[in-house]
Amino acid sequence: MNRIAGFVLGLAGLWFLLLSSPRSAGEAAVKYAFAAILLWSAYRRLRAASKKTAEYLMQADGEWTRLTVLPAAPPTLWFPAGLSIVLGAGVVGSGVAYLWVVGWVFAALAWLTLLKDHRGGKPAGPRSLRVGPQGIETEGALLRKDDIHRLRIRNKFAGGAEIVYDAARGLPTGVAMGLAGRRALAEVAYRVEVEAAGKAHVLAAGLDEVTAAGLVTEIGKALALR
């Protein structure tokens, strides 16, 4: 579904960029704003997982395990998004004086519905990390195993957490707390965090529950290696 949505948004963005005919500088500004929003939204959706669920890939890297995580795209409110695009297209080329000012309102609505991600944890793009007996390597930093307090799943819309690695035991514990009251956004708002040396680090975000659980299981296994 994300692939289809990405292509549709990309075509709409190309229409604004190449085919729309603004009649004033204000309309031209609206044209390029819509083109940028739609093309960037298409790019993000094509980079995301091909389905509504997130994905992760595992690859052996010596005694380390490399994990590449592709987040799920956030759910889109298609009605207001589509309405803003249609109205924005009507503004560009209308020739009505100062109507382009309203076009900026439509562009803002398109940005809020297509690009604004309320899930938190920087879930927009893929993430890569390495896990091994020494600890977790993420974003160029090594979180040493001896400094890791716990690894958990969080969802700010449900307030749950799942501990999968306990530094006192050195093994995955599988202790879980259920996440209730999920909405459409909450279903892809899971993120994996690690607490190390008194600081929380986001390892991956924009995940569904199953992918998050699988990811922390693999991380826990790799950390337990001797």
Side-chain angles (χ1 to χ4, degrees), residues 126-202:
R127 290 200 180 197
S128 178
L129 59 142
R130 294 200 314 158
V131 189
Q134 289 78 29
I136 302 173
E137 189 178 89
T138 176
E139 297 183 338
L142 175 62
L143 307 176
R144 298 188 179 279
K145 181 177 178 179
D146 292 341
D147 295 332
I148 294 176
H149 310 308
R150 57 176 177 170
L151 183 69
R152 63 191 179 188
I153 296 173
R154 281 198 176 277
N155 187 323
K156 71 176 184 178
F157 295 100
E162 177 178 349
I163 303 170
V164 298
Y165 177 83
D166 192 323
R169 300 183 182 183
L171 293 171
T173 62
V175 178
M177 295 176 62
L179 303 178
R182 293 191 298 266
R183 300 171 296 176
L185 185 61
E187 291 177 357
V188 287
Y190 293 87
R191 63 188 187 188
V192 176
E193 296 181 351
V194 60
E195 290 184 2
K199 185 178 180 181
H201 303 264
V202 178

Side-chain angles (χ1 to χ4, degrees), residues 8-225:
V8 171
L9 291 170
L11 289 174
L14 289 175
W15 181 88
F16 273 96
L17 184 64
L18 302 175
L19 300 178
S20 62
S21 302
R23 298 186 181 183
S24 67
E27 289 183 8
V30 173
K31 161 186 172 170
Y32 289 116
F34 267 99
I37 291 169
L38 292 170
L39 291 174
W40 183 247
S41 178
Y43 172 71
R44 283 176 49 172
R45 286 190 170 271
L46 291 172
R47 286 184 72 201
S50 59
K51 299 179 291 185
K52 290 184 178 180
T53 56
E55 302 172 356
Y56 66 87
L57 305 174
M58 296 177 55
Q59 183 179 4
D61 188 2
E63 63 179 0
W64 294 77
T65 299
R66 180 176 295 278
L67 294 161
T68 303
V69 186
L70 285 75
T76 301
L77 301 175
W78 286 112
F79 179 76
L83 183 62
S84 66
I85 294 170
V86 171
L87 294 176
V91 168
V92 177
S94 66
V96 179
Y98 300 109
L99 185 61
W100 60 268
V101 176
V102 182
W104 279 104
V105 177
F106 300 147
L109 179 59
W111 177 78
L112 285 171
T113 53
L114 293 174
L115 290 180
K116 181 65 175 177
D117 197 330
H118 302 277
R119 293 177 294 178
K122 300 179 180 179
R127 290 200 180 197
S128 178
L129 59 142
R130 294 200 314 158
V131 189
Q134 289 78 29
I136 302 173
E137 189 178 89
T138 176
E139 297 183 338
L142 175 62
L143 307 176
R144 298 188 179 279
K145 181 177 178 179
D146 292 341
D147 295 332
I148 294 176
H149 310 308
R150 57 176 177 170
L151 183 69
R152 63 191 179 188
I153 296 173
R154 281 198 176 277
N155 187 323
K156 71 176 184 178
F157 295 100
E162 177 178 349
I163 303 170
V164 298
Y165 177 83
D166 192 323
R169 300 183 182 183
L171 293 171
T173 62
V175 178
M177 295 176 62
L179 303 178
R182 293 191 298 266
R183 300 171 296 176
L185 185 61
E187 291 177 357
V188 287
Y190 293 87
R191 63 188 187 188
V192 176
E193 296 181 351
V194 60
E195 290 184 2
K199 185 178 180 181
H201 303 264
V202 178
L203 299 180
L207 310 177
D208 57 276
E209 186 176 14
V210 174
T211 303
L215 183 61
V216 292
T217 298
E218 298 301 337
I219 294 175
K221 289 179 181 177
L223 283 173
L225 294 175

